Amino acid sequence: MKLQLVRDRIARDLHDEIGSTLSSISFYSEALKRKLGDTDDAMAQQVAERIGSSSRDMIDQMSDIVWSVDPKNDEAGALVTRLQAFASDLLAAKNIPLHFHADAALSERKLTAEQRRNIFLICKEVLHNTLKYADARSVTITVESTGRALELVIEDDGKGFDPENTDSYNGNGLPNMRVRAEAIGAVFTVTSAPGKGTRARIVLPQNALTPRSGD
């Protein structure tokens, strides 16, 4: 209970204090850009744009942190809901259809804050890469319990890439995603080939999951 109260307070403070400050910075940068619109100071315009962009990125990251810390999101169902909403919004911007399938039993599974955050950030990276590199016509996300493990798969029907040439799929991102998976005891794999689409898979084994009541 003490730990939960601390997590509640951290989530609340991050949202109320830091979140509002970042929002103010973003607002002020936009106001500055409008003011500078009457001048020819291109450098000042670029600085204002960078301030606004950085603050918006931080607001997005802060939202992920607050969500992962908040105890009310400990069920795997919260991960499913957030992932579906994020993927829908991101892909809709490029008119890419999303097919989302989730095992209803996952709502009873517990995940730690670190597990939820790392799984979600891996999925975000995969989806951003899909948007940048895949030229996909559709994306399918499946989340299910395989035995008593958690399995999450993101597939696209895009142009694929050569796994031996990871620069074609954000070479720096793949090692980072594997490190995130290893940190929570999960396995992350990417399967692809030119013209064959891409399949990213995260498996969180049974021994890394909190048992359901009655298990």
Side-chain angles (χ1 to χ4, degrees):
M1 285 301 295
K2 287 183 179 178
L3 178 59
Q4 183 161 329
L5 288 173
V6 170
R7 290 176 61 193
D8 282 335
R9 192 184 71 245
I10 291 172
R12 198 165 49 246
D13 289 350
L14 286 172
H15 179 272
D16 295 345
E17 301 298 332
I18 300 177
S20 63
T21 300
L22 289 170
S23 296
S24 296
I25 293 172
S26 178
F27 172 79
Y28 292 142
S29 70
E30 290 301 314
L32 178 59
K33 281 170 57 183
R34 289 194 295 271
K35 186 69 173 177
L36 291 171
D38 299 329
T39 74
D40 295 325
D41 195 336
M43 180 61 72
Q45 280 277 8
Q46 291 176 9
V47 171
E49 175 62 35
R50 183 164 296 182
I51 292 171
S53 177
S54 296
S55 61
R56 286 188 291 274
D57 287 345
M58 283 302 301
I59 290 171
D60 185 48
Q61 294 174 32
M62 185 63 62
S63 175
D64 291 341
I65 294 171
V66 171
W67 171 78
S68 66
V69 170
D70 196 330
K72 72 174 180 286
N73 297 319
D74 282 350
E75 289 79 13
L79 170 64
V80 170
T81 300
R82 188 171 180 85
L83 177 58
Q84 183 173 15
F86 173 81
S88 297
D89 291 345
L90 185 70
L91 297 173
K94 296 290 186 178
N95 295 315
I96 300 175
L98 170 66
H99 307 287
F100 196 97
H101 311 283
D103 186 346
L106 285 169
S107 61
E108 302 174 22
R109 285 289 186 187
K110 294 284 188 179
L111 296 174
T112 67
E114 185 181 16
Q115 287 171 338
R116 284 188 291 108
R117 183 168 186 267
N118 281 355
I119 291 173
F120 182 66
L121 292 179
I122 291 170
C123 292
K124 282 182 70 173
E125 183 75 16
V126 169
L127 290 166
H128 279 301
N129 286 344
T130 299
L131 231 57
K132 290 178 184 177
Y133 306 112
D135 195 20
R137 296 179 299 278
S138 67
V139 172
T140 300
I141 298 177
T142 306
V143 194
E144 60 185 357
S145 288
T146 304
R148 291 188 177 181
L150 171 68
E151 181 176 359
L152 193 155
V153 177
I154 302 176
E155 298 178 276
D156 69 64
D157 58 359
K159 61 185 180 182
F161 70 102
D162 179 1
E164 299 301 317
N165 178 21
T166 54
D167 286 342
S168 62
Y169 187 77
N170 189 359
N172 292 329
L174 283 173
N176 290 342
M177 287 186 273
R178 291 193 178 100
V179 168
R180 285 194 179 280
E182 289 171 4
I184 57 173
V187 177
F188 173 72
T189 56
V190 174
T191 306
S192 186
K196 300 294 184 181
T198 300
R199 183 176 190 265
R201 180 172 178 257
I202 305 167
V203 177
L204 190 63
Q206 175 188 347
N207 59 8
L209 283 167
T210 302
R212 291 176 294 195
S213 57
D215 278 1

